Amino acid sequence: MQGSAKGKVVFIAGASRGIGQATAVGFAEAGAKAIYLTARSEAALGETRALVEAANPETACAIAACDVTRAAEVEKAVTECVARFGAVDVADANAGYLGPWVKIGETDPEGWWHNWEVNLRGTYHVIRFTLPHLIASAKRWAAEGGSGGHLILLSSIGAQLLMPGASDYQTSKHAINRLCEFVQTDHGADGIKCFAIHPGGVPTELGKQMPEAMHAYLTETPDLAACFAVWLASGAADWAKGRYLSATWDVGELAEMQNRILQDDLLVNRLRAQV
């Protein structure tokens, strides 16, 4: 994907470690013009910025402390990104939360809802405040014969599962998949390309919050999800916009299934009933 992000400005929420950090490095290696990094800790973001600068000294990089659950902070960060770098061509809503796995009848109400505050409300805030700039990007790149206006939402295979004790996390990720579809329905005509992605089983700090028995499935590296995000933002998979995709899938095989996926409207949330 070398050179595939040339000229693009990338906004990443949740970029201080793990998948978000690897994604920032991935876009730098792909030649991004600039990368704007946010997370709650500005100090932690400094490490990611250093990695970005080492990966590509020509990629400009800025950081800002930002809590995605606070609309005003996200709006301010996006505004500062545009003021500094002139655009948002790719937005990556990577910030997430996973609390203890507890059966619904034993959950702490505030803790249960916090999953939704971070995973869904936080994702919505990134969507809401980057969309006007992504729409402008899509139009500008289309006029130049390229592809812009890419929005990547971090979902999970958990969105498709029913694991005892994971009701807060898995339902919030399921909702992200549906939100992705709504973004595409509302703004597809504006040139937006939105994707909800499963990053693979990655042994991040968040992933290790799962019960220990699940750790055997954490076999991927953050680089896999990062490279998948860079590939999506290259325009190679624009035909799959509005869908749930997994970084663990072979992209060549996915491309070969394009006609079937579109014809049967696959990789979306639907209820099918036989009469």
Side-chain angles (χ1 to χ4, degrees):
M1 301 308 299
Q2 186 175 11
S4 66
K6 184 178 180 180
K8 292 188 176 181
V9 176
V10 184
F11 181 95
I12 303 176
S16 61
R17 60 191 182 191
I19 295 168
Q21 183 177 83
T23 300
V25 173
F27 273 107
E29 292 175 339
K33 170 187 173 182
I35 302 176
Y36 194 93
L37 309 171
T38 74
R40 287 182 299 169
S41 171
E42 187 169 345
L45 286 168
E47 179 182 345
T48 304
R49 178 168 59 185
L51 292 173
V52 166
E53 292 171 346
N56 187 352
E58 296 183 3
T59 296
C61 187
I63 63 176
C66 175
D67 183 340
V68 292
T69 67
R70 301 180 182 275
E73 292 187 16
V74 179
E75 183 177 23
K76 179 182 178 182
V78 173
T79 299
E80 289 180 351
C81 175
V82 175
R84 184 160 186 166
F85 299 127
V88 175
D89 299 300
V90 182
D92 183 81
N94 186 78
Y97 175 77
L98 172 63
W101 285 29
V102 182
K103 292 182 180 180
I104 294 174
E106 302 168 4
T107 52
D108 167 57
E110 293 299 320
W112 194 95
W113 189 245
H114 187 62
N115 266 277
W116 285 72
E117 287 286 327
V118 178
N119 295 338
L120 192 63
R121 187 178 186 180
T123 296
Y124 161 75
H125 286 158
V126 174
I127 293 169
R128 171 63 183 83
F129 296 112
T130 62
L131 262 176
H133 307 290
L134 291 172
I135 291 170
S137 166
K139 293 178 180 178
R140 184 176 69 257
W141 281 92
E144 298 174 0
S147 181
H150 292 92
L151 178 58
I152 300 168
L153 315 181
L154 196 69
S155 182
S156 168
I157 187 64
Q160 316 296 345
L161 303 176
L162 285 171
M163 303 296 293
S167 63
D168 45 7
Y169 180 77
Q170 292 187 345
T171 55
S172 70
K173 291 298 186 178
H174 188 73
I176 283 177
N177 294 350
R178 191 63 158 174
L179 183 59
C180 171
E181 295 177 41
F182 268 108
V183 170
Q184 204 58 54
T185 295
D186 287 349
H187 295 287
D190 298 321
I192 295 298
K193 280 76 71 173
C194 185
F195 307 92
I197 72 167
H198 167 50
V202 184
T204 60
E205 290 187 26
L206 185 148
K208 292 178 180 178
Q209 294 297 315
M210 295 191 301
E212 190 171 348
M214 301 293 294
H215 292 185
Y217 298 98
L218 302 179
T219 58
E220 275 82 45
T221 68
D223 292 339
L224 179 65
C227 292
F228 192 63
V230 171
W231 178 71
L232 290 175
S234 73
D238 284 359
W239 61 269
K241 57 188 178 290
R243 303 178 190 277
Y244 165 87
L245 306 172
S246 175
T248 65
W249 296 344
D250 183 282
V251 297
E253 292 179 2
L254 180 66
E256 291 175 359
M257 294 179 65
Q258 176 178 344
N259 290 338
R260 180 186 171 194
I261 290 170
L262 296 179
Q263 179 178 329
D264 295 340
D265 200 20
L266 304 179
L267 308 180
V268 291
N269 293 337
R270 296 290 184 271
L271 174 65
R272 292 192 175 184
Q274 292 184 337
V275 180

